[in-house]
Amino acid sequence: MPLDFKRCKQLLDAIDLKTLFIECLGWDRYANTLSVAVQGQDFTLVGVAEKRTFAALLCGPDAQGKIPDHALRAAIDREVAKLKHEHIIIYQDATGSEQLWQWVRRGKDQPIKRREFRWRRGQASGLLIERVLPSIAFSLEEEEKLTLPDV
């Protein structure tokens, strides 16, 4: 079944990430919470969903209520990778009006590549909806033979 982009947009705007991942993208429930301390700040990352040990985690804002800056996001990711190697971190500001999705590609003997995609409430479209979500959506037919590298 093709991805319902209109529903995905509504769920992103409503910050209903669990429904987005589980009902629209075909991921599984994941309720773990991770805590990391970075540069004198504590960050709690709440499990949104999981697919074959690949976790989607929601990280709240920094002390100023904003999405952490690039250097702080990199530090958060390094700490999270120690606890949950394969993951997507979705950063959110205090108002819930902006999200930044971060996926870090870690290839053997290759430099780390950070992929980041922004979403602002009310946005009409963008790379997140058009390219990222379809690439992380799974159907029931794929479920039986799906492995972590596939995710």
Side-chain angles (χ1 to χ4, degrees), residues 106-111:
R106 295 173 175 83
K108 186 177 181 185
D109 300 325
Q110 295 179 353

Side-chain angles (χ1 to χ4, degrees), residues 7 20 26-28 36 42-43 47 49 80 88 100 103 105 108-109 113 122 129 133 135 139-140 144 151:
R7 183 153 188 245
L20 173 69
W27 287 50
D28 304 314
V36 296
D42 293 324
F43 290 92
V80 169
I88 295 171
L100 186 137
W103 173 64
R105 186 174 177 184
K108 186 177 181 185
D109 300 325
K113 294 180 184 175
I129 284 195
L133 295 185
S135 71
S139 67
L140 287 175
E144 288 182 16
V151 178

Side-chain angles (χ1 to χ4, degrees), residues 2-10 129-131 133-134:
L3 197 56
D4 182 347
F5 293 111
K6 183 178 179 183
R7 183 153 188 245
C8 289
K9 181 188 173 318
Q10 291 169 340
I129 284 195
E130 295 166 7
R131 293 207 181 141
L133 295 185

Side-chain angles (χ1 to χ4, degrees), residues 84-122:
K84 190 73 173 167
H85 186 69
E86 297 295 342
H87 59 272
I88 295 171
I89 301 176
I90 304 163
Y91 297 93
Q92 178 180 297
D93 69 357
T95 66
S97 62
E98 186 174 9
Q99 299 169 16
L100 186 137
W101 290 47
Q102 177 190 61
W103 173 64
V104 178
R105 186 174 177 184
R106 295 173 175 83
K108 186 177 181 185
D109 300 325
Q110 295 179 353
I112 290 175
K113 294 180 184 175
R114 285 190 174 77
R115 307 275 192 238
E116 297 186 337
F117 304 91
R118 285 196 184 270
W119 180 261
R120 289 179 180 86
R121 184 179 290 145

Side-chain angles (χ1 to χ4, degrees), residues 19-108:
T19 302
L20 173 69
F21 273 88
I22 294 166
E23 293 182 13
C24 294
L25 302 178
W27 287 50
D28 304 314
R29 297 183 191 286
Y30 181 68
N32 288 6
T33 299
L34 305 176
S35 296
V36 296
V38 179
Q39 298 177 10
Q41 295 184 61
D42 293 324
F43 290 92
T44 300
L45 294 96
V46 178
V48 173
E50 181 180 52
K51 191 56 127 180
R52 301 295 188 268
T53 73
F54 193 110
L57 304 162
L58 178 63
C59 182
D62 64 13
Q64 290 75 42
K66 298 181 187 234
I67 291 174
D69 64 29
H70 182 75
L72 193 51
R73 291 192 307 269
I76 291 168
D77 176 73
R78 282 190 296 274
E79 291 302 311
V80 169
K82 294 174 186 176
L83 305 169
K84 190 73 173 167
H85 186 69
E86 297 295 342
H87 59 272
I88 295 171
I89 301 176
I90 304 163
Y91 297 93
Q92 178 180 297
D93 69 357
T95 66
S97 62
E98 186 174 9
Q99 299 169 16
L100 186 137
W101 290 47
Q102 177 190 61
W103 173 64
V104 178
R105 186 174 177 184
R106 295 173 175 83
K108 186 177 181 185

